[in-house]
Amino acid sequence: MSDDLTFHLDRRPEVETIRALYAASPLRRPIQDSDRIRRMYEGSNVVISAYQGDRLVGLLRGWTDFVFDGYVCDLAVHPAFQKVGVGRRLLELAHELGEGIQWVLLASPIAKDYYAHLGWQWVDAGWKLPRAP
């Protein structure tokens, strides 16, 4: 991993910066709706960002109670910074937020093998109520 990368648990990017990273990564999110992106981040108690200088290159958004359960909502890494450990480090930092947290996520089809590579276990029992259009 590059020495000039910094990781922050206390730095929430601007909405336009988030939208640009999502568009580049490509992470399917409502990037056309700035207000919805803003509200997604306002409602999340875990935001971990990765920067090269002032450039946002990676972002993890999630929720946790800090003792038992955690959910990774988004993991986005700019393509120029993929395969160098940025996503791995963002997930490690989330894991370090509290001992005993079980983290879960819904993986994008393009990232389904990525999490297994990092040691995450496939969950075959789960349910979801689809989002209204």
Side-chain angles (χ1 to χ4, degrees):
M1 186 172 345
S2 176
D3 291 337
D4 60 346
L5 292 176
T6 59
F7 294 83
H8 305 269
L9 282 80
D10 59 352
R11 186 172 174 186
R12 288 181 181 239
E14 297 292 326
V15 169
E16 292 308 311
T17 307
I18 295 167
R19 290 174 64 205
L21 178 63
Y22 283 176
S25 56
L27 191 62
R28 293 184 305 185
R29 295 295 180 267
I31 60 174
Q32 72 288 352
D33 188 343
S34 295
D35 185 59
R36 192 167 187 186
I37 296 288
R38 178 189 56 75
R39 290 183 289 132
M40 287 164 51
Y41 276 79
E42 286 175 353
S44 299
N45 67 353
V46 175
V47 177
I48 307 172
S49 53
Y51 287 85
Q52 181 185 53
D54 290 333
R55 179 183 182 193
L56 179 67
V57 300
L59 191 58
L60 181 148
R61 179 179 73 88
W63 301 308
T64 186
D65 56 20
F66 297 101
V67 294
F68 196 72
D69 291 315
Y71 178 72
V72 175
C73 304
D74 301 337
L75 179 65
V77 177
H78 191 281
F81 293 85
Q82 291 177 2
K83 301 186 189 309
V84 297
V86 173
R88 176 189 300 269
R89 185 64 185 138
L90 290 167
L91 289 165
E92 287 171 353
L93 288 167
H95 180 73
E96 293 170 8
L97 289 174
E99 188 175 323
I101 300 172
Q102 175 180 265
W103 289 93
V104 296
L105 59 83
L106 289 173
S108 163
I110 62 172
K112 65 180 177 122
D113 296 327
Y114 174 72
Y115 298 100
H117 168 75
L118 296 180
W120 286 58
Q121 297 174 354
W122 173 254
V123 177
D124 59 355
W127 301 94
K128 71 177 184 175
L129 183 59
R131 184 179 301 111

